[in-house]
Amino acid sequence: MSSLVRLAQLGLVCLSIAGNALCAGGIFTFPLISPALATHLKLTQPQLTTIVLAGMVGQYPFAAIVGKCIDKYGPWACSLIASILFSSSFGSFSLEIAKTADDVLQPSASSFQRLTVFFFMAGLGTVFSYFSALFAASKNFPDYIGVASGATMALFGLSPLFLSVIASTFFTNPDAGLQVSSYLMCLAVLVGLVNLCGAVILRSSKKSVQDREESGAETSQQVQDVEEPDERAPLLPGKAPTATIDVSTVDEGATVVDLLKNRHFWVLVMITLLVCGACEMIMSNTGSIVLSLPQSSNPGMKVTSFQRSGTDVATSAQVRLLSLANTISRLFFGPLADYISPVASYLPSGERAFPRQHFISRVAFLSLSSMLLAITLFSVQLNVRTQADLWLLSVGTGMTYGTTFTVLPSIISSIWGLSNMARNFGILSYAPFIGTPLFSYLYAFVATSHAPDNGICQGASCWRFTFWVATGASIVAFCGSLYLWREWKGRL
């Protein structure tokens, strides 16, 4: 009987983890609401960029604090905090839009500032919710930590798709388009309740997790010797080691100063800044990119109010494609990298061992992602003329983003060891924290310069220059990856 209770409790925990991960990506559906903010609140492109960046940036600086909260109190506490943040942020965002008159002619500075704060709160809620799901999965399934964390990451990648389906199915009117205020209020209630239930369920499972840890002391010790997974960890655990290499090639004891003095680390920072910064710029501005293009090949066609529903549907489709491409690339390239470019593990003798035959450097996946982004952006410049053509941009961006973040942690652990992996990866994570605003504001100001007075930018000129810059940046990143491939030959 006790085993059945334990299984039922574990089933509830799995549902809670899946719910938290699947509902945590609300900020990534901003492209769905940005056209309405532009037309209803009359917000400019730089203002829209500032709001979405507040949400994107809100995830990065507080990751270490959230991690400490997990370590001290457990995943349930983060789920509770996420519930409060999501409910208050999305609910306040919805009310701010609802109280704005339809005939407003100029954007309100105070309203813009409040929306920015609300979206920042939503971004902070995202990292609390995501971490609660990820580390609850790893703690409840210590014997299958790779699969558990990988499944959680995949569900998080599908979150924008899931939420966009809700938006298009229940809150999109064929004539008026997306009912933004109602959709955001639904997010406030849905995501708040999911995380609140998660706090209760994960809290009740705390004792059973401790019991399993005590009964499986040997397994727990093995888990403690492995770094906690993060969003970009490989998806499947390796097999028994078969080949060894000299551990002296690993800079295991490097301090922060040593790391910052290492030219190879700065090349890796540059690659991450350029590739991930460009990808997050596209992901943040998908709505305005769609809005800049006509729905048909008629060059004189403009996006008017009676065509808005079609534009909202096109934006939703691009968000779904981005989400699917991001998730599928993680599920495909994670196991592929583990198989053809296995990460070395440490032996008691102090040597490192490859679990399988090593075929190619893991840096090759960075080369692949940066070149894929360059080809995607170049093709978009030549071939995209209507909203339907943007599938190429969404698929290429999603695959680039997923592939890059899948291999970065393993590269860091292979070169600088496991003891400071979280610290080193945390330092590297500031690269997109810088790159995303740089590319996003470049896009915003270029689009504004081609827009009529107090109007919405129309045509490929809104993003052509920005995409050419991003194409050049991805080529530079590709060259940097080739440099690291040569410098790190035989090490990973």
Side-chain angles (χ1 to χ4, degrees):
M1 186 65 179
S2 60
S3 61
L4 291 177
V5 172
R6 218 167 13 245
L7 285 175
Q9 186 181 46
L10 198 58
L12 285 176
V13 170
C14 291
L15 289 176
S16 175
I17 291 170
N20 278 17
L22 201 57
C23 295
I27 63 171
F28 300 107
T29 63
F30 184 83
L32 299 180
I33 68 176
S34 60
L37 297 180
T39 56
H40 180 59
L41 275 67
K42 301 299 186 292
L43 297 180
T44 65
Q45 186 59 54
Q47 288 175 324
L48 293 174
T49 298
T50 300
I51 293 173
V52 69
L53 279 180
M56 301 291 286
V57 167
Q59 304 173 84
Y60 292 107
F62 298 96
I65 298 175
V66 178
K68 289 183 179 180
C69 181
I70 290 276
D71 293 335
K72 187 172 183 179
Y73 301 106
W76 71 271
C78 286
S79 190
L80 178 61
I81 296 173
S83 176
I84 297 171
L85 287 170
F86 277 138
S87 296
S88 56
S89 60
F90 286 133
S92 300
F93 207 110
S94 173
L95 294 175
E96 186 69 30
I97 296 174
K99 74 177 186 179
T100 303
D102 293 332
D103 56 353
V104 64
L105 298 178
Q106 294 291 336
S108 169
S110 60
S111 179
F112 156 68
Q113 292 167 1
R114 286 191 293 270
L115 292 177
T116 302
V117 173
F118 297 152
F119 218 65
F120 177 83
M121 292 168 57
L124 188 56
T126 300
V127 70
F128 272 101
S129 182
Y130 173 68
F131 271 41
S132 71
L134 182 61
F135 290 106
S138 65
K139 291 177 183 295
N140 279 277
F141 300 94
D143 296 332
Y144 306 95
I145 192 169
V147 174
S149 59
T152 305
M153 297 171 200
L155 285 173
F156 179 71
L158 286 173
S159 180
L161 171 62
F162 171 68
L163 297 177
S164 68
V165 169
I166 292 178
S168 60
T169 303
F170 300 103
F171 300 99
T172 299
N173 186 288
D175 298 320
L178 179 65
Q179 302 170 32
V180 176
S181 182
S182 299
Y183 166 65
L184 289 172
M185 188 58 69
C186 172
L187 281 187
V189 175
L190 172 64
V191 183
L193 284 177
V194 167
N195 280 272
L196 182 60
C197 291
V200 175
I201 294 172
L202 297 178
R203 173 71 171 177
S204 65
S205 70
K206 186 176 180 181
K207 188 177 185 304
S208 64
V209 173
Q210 292 173 344
D211 292 341
R212 287 196 297 274
E213 288 175 347
E214 291 174 0
S215 64
E218 183 178 352
T219 300
S220 297
Q221 183 61 43
Q222 293 174 354
V223 172
Q224 292 171 4
D225 293 337
V226 182
E227 291 290 330
E228 291 281 21
D230 66 13
E231 181 189 354
R232 293 92 175 174
L235 294 178
L236 297 176
K239 299 179 181 179
T242 58
T244 61
I245 60 174
D246 186 3
V247 75
S248 63
T249 62
V250 182
D251 195 3
E252 179 73 32
T255 65
V256 173
V257 175
D258 294 333
L259 194 69
L260 297 180
K261 288 181 178 179
N262 190 312
R263 68 180 185 277
H264 297 148
F265 178 75
W266 283 107
V267 175
L268 189 61
V269 168
M270 177 200 70
I271 295 171
T272 308
L273 186 152
L274 296 177
V275 173
C276 297
C279 286
E280 292 190 357
M281 175 269 293
I282 296 169
M283 294 164 66
S284 301
N285 294 283
T286 299
S288 57
I289 293 173
V290 171
L291 196 61
S292 69
L293 294 173
Q295 297 176 30
S296 74
S297 57
N298 183 356
M301 187 175 182
K302 300 294 183 180
V303 179
T304 59
S305 58
F306 62 85
Q307 299 162 342
R308 278 291 310 283
S309 62
T311 299
D312 290 339
V313 170
T315 303
S316 178
Q318 299 310 319
V319 172
R320 295 180 193 181
L321 280 175
L322 269 167
S323 178
L324 280 173
N326 184 12
T327 302
I328 292 172
S329 63
R330 292 173 191 266
L331 293 174
F332 177 76
F333 286 106
L336 179 63
D338 285 346
Y339 180 75
I340 67 175
S341 305
V343 177
S345 58
Y346 288 87
L347 299 178
S349 62
E351 294 181 316
R352 293 195 307 163
F354 284 118
R356 291 171 298 280
Q357 182 180 354
H358 194 275
F359 293 98
I360 193 171
S361 171
R362 197 162 273 242
V363 181
F365 289 90
L366 290 182
S367 301
L368 173 65
S369 63
S370 55
M371 182 50 61
L372 174 61
L373 181 61
I375 294 173
T376 297
L377 293 172
F378 183 76
S379 300
V380 167
Q381 301 277 25
L382 298 180
N383 301 314
V384 171
R385 295 294 179 269
T386 66
Q387 294 176 359
D389 298 331
L390 283 174
W391 68 268
L392 178 64
L393 178 65
S394 299
V395 172
T397 301
M399 291 185 63
T400 298
Y401 193 72
T403 304
T404 302
F405 274 137
T406 298
V407 299
L408 280 177
S410 55
I411 291 175
I412 291 175
S413 64
S414 296
I415 301 299
W416 290 284
L418 290 171
S419 61
N420 296 309
M421 176 185 171
R423 181 204 68 187
N424 296 341
F425 186 79
I427 296 174
L428 182 66
S429 68
Y430 284 98
F433 177 71
I434 297 171
T436 301
L438 288 177
F439 281 101
S440 295
Y441 277 115
L442 173 63
Y443 170 84
F445 289 118
V446 169
T448 301
S449 68
H450 289 88
D453 293 339
N454 299 321
I456 299 172
C457 185
Q458 297 281 297
S461 59
C462 302
W463 39 262
R464 177 171 286 119
F465 177 76
T466 306
F467 280 17
W468 278 125
V469 172
T471 302
S474 57
I475 293 174
V476 172
F478 174 75
C479 295
S481 69
L482 294 181
Y483 170 77
L484 292 181
W485 194 342
R486 185 190 66 184
E487 291 291 301
W488 288 342
K489 184 177 181 181
R491 296 182 64 180
L492 77 163

